[in-house]
Amino acid sequence: MDDFRGGHILEEKYNPIAIEKKWQELWHETGVDSIVRDDSKKKFYCLEMFPYPSGKIHMGHIRNYVIGDVITRYKRMRGFNVLHPMGWDAFGLPAENAAILHGTPASKWTLDNIDYMKKQIGKIGCSYDWSRELTTCTPQYYKWNQWFFIKMLERGLAYKKNSSVNWCGQCSTVLANEQVIEDKCWRCDSVVSKKELEQWFFKITAYAEELLAGCDTLTGWPDHVVAMQKNWIGKSLGAELDFPVENSDIKIRIFTTRPDTLFGATFVCLSPAHPLAAFLTEDQEGLRRIRTEYDKQDAATAQTTLGMFTGKYAVNPINGERIPIYVATFVLMEYGTGAIMSVPAHDSRDFEFATAHNLTIKQVIAPPEAVSELKPLAEAYEGEGILIESGDFTGLPNKEAIVRINEYIENKGIGTASVKYKLRDWGISRQRYWGTPIPVVYCENCGALPVPLDELPVILPENIELKGMGGSPLAAVEGFVAAKCPKCNGPARRDTDTMDTFVDSSWYFIRYCSKMNEDALDKPNIEHFMPVDQYIGGVEHAVLHLLYSRFFTRVLRDLGIVAVEEPFTRLLTQGMVCKETLKCPEHGWLFPEEAKGGKCSQCNGSVERGRVEKMSKSKKNVVTPDELTERYGADTARVFSLFAAPPEKDIDWSDQGVEGAYRFLNRLWTLIYSNIEQLKTHRQKTHTTGPLIRKTHQTINKVTQSVERDYHFNTAIAALMELLNEANSFRPSKDEDYASLYFAVRSMLLLLSPFAPHICEELWQGIGEKGSILLHSWPEWDEEAAKEEEIELVIQINGKVRAKEKVSASLDDDNIREFALKNIKVMELLAAGKQPRQKILVKRPGSCIVNIVF
RNA sequence: GCGAAAGUGGCGGAAUUGGCAGACGCGCUGGACUUAGGAUCCAGUGCCUCACGGCAUAGGGGUUCGACUCCCCUCUUUCGCACCA
């Protein structure tokens, strides 16, 4: 700790590059910047979404990590024992693509990238506990993916079923969704088709209800993210009913959310993929055409009225009516039962279909105000109403009818109340190389068997040649595929698929609770640190990653590993980093240096200023962290990105804004440097009162409130700028003035240190404080010292501001009102004979308002 | 189409529970110091008006002594979902 003994000499000029390097090294060497577990303090777990090691850190990462770092440093100064880890989401397709295209082994590519990115992260001065650094592509990590897989298999939460994948016939390989570009293969440009493969699934639907109910406990999450989760789970209440097929003992089971409209069902629709479709349809050729359309349709291309009559009729079980059975492409096999009853009068899709096919439309719900006079419907009526032409249920409000009809069908044995979810089970098989091997072997005699737990991990072979042809790359690796059956010891072969990388990120926050040299699932560690108190990341993970993590946490809870059910108490979804784009009508997007003087450097044509868009290489509006830290230093980069907007909003990158942040730090430096001797001398003197002391207390208050209230760092920094402005215009002459200045400067450094740690540490040492500023506690404000002696009295007449005057803060309410009445403008009105009807007084900190109403 | 969020100066953005709209920064204007300034410092800067004053928080209405804030309608933008029966 000798390095923090004070007596440090400041350079005249602020030199961020030198001081940042110095302190980063010193903090690292002395361990000041890493936080060790200390059970005497309250824990705080602050986590940023770990990066995929794509090669370089970009501004989005920087923003994410800086927000997390500020929270970490702030909470630490407030006396918390903060867990703040970092790691690498290291499995994934880009590494595999690099291997296919350039022959670089995926592991080397990944580890090299991690090396480089770790250096970049170090340069922005974030304080991580690197003893917990994890890399998901290491066997030590993915072993546990396999372990969880087997545990889930044992509990029936992992199972195999057929599912379709994107298939490129030309390359004879499976494609991930992101490798399919406009229905074509990313490499050979040939058309992609669907292929059925047997794949592994995790039964997330078993937790659907719990995940949905848990949404209501996520009070620390942004509302829209919770809404997206609920919407994704998509619960709907309804009923399942059997519609018998005429002249047969076959029944068609349908799902509906509107049993109240049962009397209005005028036809039944089957999905083209429904097993009964082929069985019932007379025109097989026609069905085949529709099936082809159905298979290739997606949300954008779907036709709403494509379908055909099967030639058969069904019986409406509630009234015995004979209604036709259709096949329709708008009915999805994956949802509900793959068959519906169509009620064209009360469902817009059914209405459209019925109109196109000339089918009966029978109204059974009337709007409450129009029961007596019904007109033919021009569109489906989907609102509330009263049942009509519905047998014994006629006259009931439809809400009530749902309940009564559900009871009726259950009693009659023709149906049952039913709950459906949009949420599907999570398919985790990937026909890919760079991922966690699925720990299953197939024996000819014994079938599919999990690898015994004590044989884990199943190691992913490295340095294999990837050609990008054929099915799963691992299938071509002889040494990997060959295995022994754990049951009969006979020859067996391994599953050659790997797991979805979302598996890796579904529990990494639990792994961090223990150091890398400790047991991965150490219960006391997990119990101590979980849940994550503050999670920070992009909205793009609002559904999948967060939902999978919530699912995994519950599975791990059921396995006795975790005690909590929700992994993330508070969630902050930070906005994107955007920048203005520049475009030449001839040459497209331009770099700023190609558009000097508003002219395109190639054709000299005038440049259009494009929209402000998310930074991306293709739009040529990227600022790299490297150029920024080399030019201005990390502290400037940090201050700008925090000052530009509150964290949840997008920020608009501006080079001039960065300059502004840099100037702010320079002004701070200059203020301290130019008063350094007096500051050092008056360090010990107790300060007195005065405007600067008062402003300092107010600033401590303001900064603390801004941080506490939703991490609004932009207003916190603004308050510090105000204090600096006031300190700059303060002209000290007496000893006590310098003592005041010292107090202001010292507080300012403490308050600014989470935002700009390097410069604050340098100046802290410069003014002769002892010990690292990082270990200092957050300053407290004194309510009394922050109070103004004089307050501003705003005088309103009929709600309009007419005058402002300074009055003593000690005046009581009546005195203030009296004072306001003596105002010249008020007097004029009084003299004119008007009588005030009301005198409303509002007190605010530092000011008060009197509204005189005539 | 459905759902959610948002709309404030030339720009990014401020404004506890309804209580001085525009904090702070950028930009711009003028000045100082300079051989010079794209450095630094000082002053000014919502709009209209010579001024008194008036008008301003997407637009329109309402509640209120008082509305960026609450209520109703309209417009625009962004995001999510998109045949989920």
Side-chain angles (χ1 to χ4, degrees), chain A residues 110-269:
Chain A
T110 306
L111 296 176
D112 286 353
N113 285 348
I114 290 175
D115 254 13
Y116 185 78
M117 291 168 76
K118 195 172 170 184
K119 288 201 186 90
Q120 284 185 300
I121 290 180
K123 283 193 185 144
I124 56 172
C126 289
S127 55
Y128 293 112
D129 181 350
W130 288 106
S131 70
R132 292 165 197 268
E133 176 183 9
L134 61 80
T135 306
T136 58
C137 65
T138 58
Q140 303 88 286
Y141 186 84
Y142 67 68
K143 170 188 174 179
W144 297 99
N145 289 347
Q146 296 171 338
W147 194 87
F148 295 136
F149 178 94
I150 291 166
K151 288 289 168 190
M152 285 164 79
L153 195 61
E154 286 168 2
R155 297 178 154 243
L157 290 170
Y159 68 94
K160 244 188 155 179
K161 73 171 180 194
N162 268 323
S163 175
S164 68
V165 292
N166 301 308
W167 180 258
C168 172
Q170 184 79 25
C171 305
S172 76
T173 192
V174 169
L175 299 177
N177 285 335
E178 56 268 35
Q179 290 177 317
V180 181
I181 297 150
E182 290 173 358
D183 290 332
K184 301 215 174 94
C185 171
W186 67 296
R187 289 181 71 200
C188 70
D189 226 26
S190 58
V191 177
V192 172
S193 60
K194 296 271 176 197
K195 191 176 173 180
E196 290 272 310
L197 285 180
E198 241 205 347
Q199 309 197 58
W200 287 100
F201 284 80
F202 282 159
K203 206 173 202 169
I204 191 171
T205 53
Y207 289 82
E209 189 57 47
E210 217 194 302
L211 288 167
L212 182 69
C215 284
D216 293 329
T217 68
L218 299 175
T219 50
W221 287 34
D223 292 343
H224 67 280
V225 175
V226 177
M228 281 160 78
Q229 295 255 323
K230 283 186 178 170
N231 185 31
W232 192 262
I233 296 166
K235 180 181 183 174
S236 40
L237 296 169
E240 286 186 33
L241 280 147
D242 288 320
F243 278 61
V245 177
E246 190 185 53
N247 302 325
S248 108
D249 49 10
I250 297 168
K251 287 172 177 167
I252 297 171
R253 175 147 275 231
I254 62 99
F255 174 71
T256 180
T257 53
R258 295 291 304 272
D260 52 322
T261 63
L262 190 48
F263 285 88
T266 55
F267 56 102
V268 167
C269 282

Side-chain angles (χ1 to χ4, degrees), chain A residues 75 193 288 294 311 324 378 442 495 540 580 591 648 726 741 744 752 759 789 830 850:
Chain A
K75 287 288 178 184
S193 60
R288 208 165 297 131
Y294 174 79
Y442 300 90
D495 199 308
E540 64 274 20
E580 176 187 69
F591 289 111
E648 69 279 4
E726 180 132 345
L741 186 62
L752 187 63
I759 187 176
E789 290 166 5
L830 291 171
V850 175

Side-chain angles (χ1 to χ4, degrees), chain A residues 464-649:
Chain A
I464 67 159
E465 202 187 336
L466 291 175
K467 296 195 193 75
M469 307 284 265
S472 296
L474 287 176
V477 184
E478 266 309 310
F480 176 80
V481 178
K484 263 196 308 189
C485 170
K487 203 165 167 191
C488 71
N489 245 355
R493 48 181 193 83
R494 292 192 188 282
D495 199 308
T496 54
D497 285 352
T498 54
M499 294 183 201
D500 181 1
T501 55
F502 273 118
V503 175
D504 309 337
S505 54
S506 292
W507 68 281
Y508 78 111
F509 44 89
I510 289 167
R511 181 64 189 88
Y512 280 139
C513 294
S514 307
K515 297 192 174 190
M516 284 307 120
N517 59 10
E518 294 172 329
D519 182 4
L521 301 179
D522 181 79
K523 246 189 117 173
N525 282 339
I526 294 170
E527 234 157 69
H528 179 76
F529 285 117
M530 283 298 286
V532 175
D533 296 280
Q534 181 65 56
Y535 197 30
I536 308 143
V539 238
E540 64 274 20
H541 294 113
V543 180
L544 294 182
H545 162 60
L546 293 172
L547 192 64
Y548 294 150
S549 298
R550 297 180 61 218
F551 164 59
F552 248 72
T553 303
R554 283 170 170 78
V555 172
L556 266 57
R557 173 204 60 196
D558 291 348
L559 291 170
I561 293 165
V562 191
V564 299
E565 40 195 55
E566 287 298 345
F568 313 122
T569 307
R570 287 184 70 174
L571 173 70
L572 174 65
T573 50
Q574 102 263 4
M576 296 182 299
V577 181
C578 302
K579 193 168 188 286
E580 176 187 69
T581 52
L582 299 164
K583 210 172 184 181
C584 166
E586 281 283 310
H587 300 92
W589 305 108
L590 298 175
F591 289 111
E593 59 272 21
E594 291 176 326
K596 290 231 169 84
K599 300 280 177 203
C600 171
S601 61
Q602 291 179 63
C603 63
N604 217 24
S606 62
V607 173
E608 293 169 19
R609 300 181 128 224
R611 289 160 47 114
V612 173
E613 302 209 52
K614 182 181 178 181
M615 282 188 182
S616 81
K617 276 186 200 148
S618 62
K619 297 201 174 101
K620 300 189 175 176
N621 63 342
V622 200
V623 175
T624 69
D626 292 343
E627 56 185 286
L628 198 65
T629 48
E630 277 159 28
R631 181 144 178 210
Y632 297 101
D635 286 334
T636 295
R638 294 169 63 112
V639 168
F640 172 72
S641 69
L642 295 163
F643 180 64
E648 69 279 4
K649 279 192 68 166

Side-chain angles (χ1 to χ4, degrees), chain A residues 63 93 829:
Chain A
R63 186 167 188 212
L93 208 48
L829 287 165

Side-chain angles (χ1 to χ4, degrees), chain A residues 92-102 179 186 432 466:
Chain A
L93 208 48
E96 198 162 333
N97 290 343
I100 294 167
L101 294 172
H102 307 117
Q179 290 177 317
W186 67 296
R432 290 282 136 211
L466 291 175

Side-chain angles (χ1 to χ4, degrees), chain A residues 250 270-281 284 287 291 333 337-339:
Chain A
I250 297 168
L270 299 173
S271 168
H274 196 286
L276 286 174
F279 187 78
L280 295 173
T281 305
Q284 289 289 321
L287 178 64
R291 176 67 200 260
M333 194 56 219
T337 59

Side-chain angles (χ1 to χ4, degrees), chain A residues 378-423:
Chain A
E379 57 180 6
Y381 176 71
E382 292 176 333
E384 306 284 302
I386 308 296
L387 268 68
I388 54 170
E389 308 208 20
S390 298
D392 294 344
F393 302 94
T394 300
L396 289 177
N398 73 309
K399 277 265 154 83
E400 194 186 332
I402 291 177
V403 179
R404 299 279 296 276
I405 292 179
N406 275 348
E407 283 167 11
Y408 176 83
I409 61 175
E410 291 207 4
N411 288 339
K412 286 274 173 182
I414 52 177
T416 165
S418 167
V419 179
K420 297 282 178 209
Y421 300 90
K422 284 198 243 177
L423 183 68

